[in-house]
Amino acid sequence: SQELEQSPQSLIVQEGKNLTINCTSSKTLYGLYWYKQKYGEGLIFLMMLQKGGEEKSHEKITAKLDEKKQQSSLHITASQPSHAGIYLCGASTTSGTYKYIFGTGTRLKVLA
Amino acid sequence: NAGVTQTPKFQVLKTGQSMTLQCAQDMNHNSMYWYRQDPGMGLRLIYYSASEGTTDKGEVPNGYNVSRLNKREFSLRLESAAPSQTSVYFCASSEVRTQYFGPGTRLTVL
């Protein structure tokens, strides 16, 4: 089983709708990272969360970290076709190392 | 502002052939990483280098070797390619925690 579970695996929304992607770890988190990947391209760093309760925003994308639940959520407000792609969460689950594990990704399609 | 660069972008090999994937970063980062991305498996760490002169195995190191040539460059070598190594390979670098990724190399082994 995956140490880092993402849900849903895929999502199709109408432009303008809000959506949430979740990332849940089976281990203690020492840092949670969100990336976006356009089809066939590399990963673009969105944001990093380190402390429980921390919330960060980048344009219309907001991410929160619930340390107790070992979970992070990524919320997109008023989605646009430019938000389409694969969203990946990565996490460091070992203190003092820079090694990550990654979720399998959430494929987002936004219909115009 | 190149960031992390990878060559080649695409490669087709026959079973048993060897090749080296090149990665370079211009951000003066100490740590570098090689991942492979497969459908349904997510990104898996092959090898990483915490600093120049050191390398360590990740989750899936079998069939691969790496060289940290200098602080900028980290190469991944397939000595005898197998169809199971068909994948998209990503290189990344980091200074503290946040990793920055290259555009990837799409490798097909026939």
Side-chain angles (χ1 to χ4, degrees):
Chain A
S1 64
Q2 284 285 333
E3 292 179 337
L4 213 52
E5 293 277 355
Q6 279 188 243
S7 61
Q9 288 186 333
S10 63
L11 199 51
I12 302 173
V13 299
Q14 202 69 40
E15 183 177 2
K17 295 293 185 184
N18 302 336
L19 63 105
T20 299
I21 298 168
N22 292 305
C23 176
T24 303
S25 174
S26 59
K27 295 185 175 183
T28 302
L29 295 170
Y30 293 94
L32 192 290
Y33 308 81
W34 284 101
Y35 291 84
K36 179 185 175 184
Q37 183 179 24
K38 290 196 172 181
Y39 298 108
E41 297 182 15
L43 281 70
I44 299 166
F45 171 70
L46 294 176
M47 56 194 91
M48 173 184 75
L49 303 165
Q50 281 193 280
K51 299 175 185 176
E54 189 173 10
E55 180 175 323
K56 287 189 177 176
S57 293
H58 172 71
E59 298 177 345
K60 291 187 177 179
I61 302 174
T62 301
K64 297 179 186 180
L65 179 63
D66 185 331
E67 209 168 46
K68 285 184 182 176
K69 290 184 182 177
Q70 297 175 176
Q71 183 178 70
S72 177
S73 59
L74 185 88
H75 184 77
I76 299 177
T77 304
S79 58
Q80 299 167 0
S82 61
H83 286 127
I86 302 170
Y87 289 84
L88 290 129
C89 63
S92 175
T93 58
T94 307
S95 176
T97 75
Y98 306 145
K99 292 198 295 182
Y100 288 9
I101 54 171
F102 280 89
T104 52
T106 295
R107 289 181 175 267
L108 172 64
K109 188 171 183 178
V110 181
L111 302 174
Chain B
N1 229 16
V4 180
T5 57
Q6 291 182 236
T7 54
K9 288 192 175 180
F10 301 94
Q11 185 71 50
V12 179
L13 292 177
K14 293 181 179 178
T15 297
Q17 287 185 316
S18 62
M19 81 159 294
T20 300
L21 280 64
Q22 307 287 354
C23 174
Q25 51 94 7
D26 63 2
M27 296 175 281
N28 203 35
H29 287 168
N30 277 316
S31 302
M32 297 185 75
Y33 314 79
W34 275 106
Y35 292 89
R36 58 178 289 173
Q37 186 178 38
D38 303 292
M41 302 292 288
L43 279 159
R44 293 180 293 169
L45 183 65
I46 305 171
Y47 271 93
Y48 71 104
S49 171
S51 61
E52 187 179 352
T54 68
T55 60
D56 282 291
K57 295 178 181 179
E59 184 185 351
V60 288
N62 290 346
Y64 305 96
N65 285 303
V66 290
S67 295
R68 183 74 184 267
L69 305 169
N70 47 54
K71 193 171 185 179
R72 287 188 66 246
E73 299 170 289
F74 189 38
S75 62
L76 179 72
R77 182 158 178 85
L78 286 71
E79 290 291 350
S80 178
S84 61
Q85 294 178 305
T86 292
S87 187
V88 181
Y89 291 85
F90 289 101
C91 176
S93 71
S94 71
E95 183 51 40
V96 183
R97 290 189 179 274
T98 303
Q99 294 184 17
Y100 296 91
F101 285 77
T105 295
R106 190 171 293 271
L107 175 67
T108 301
V109 183
L110 302 175

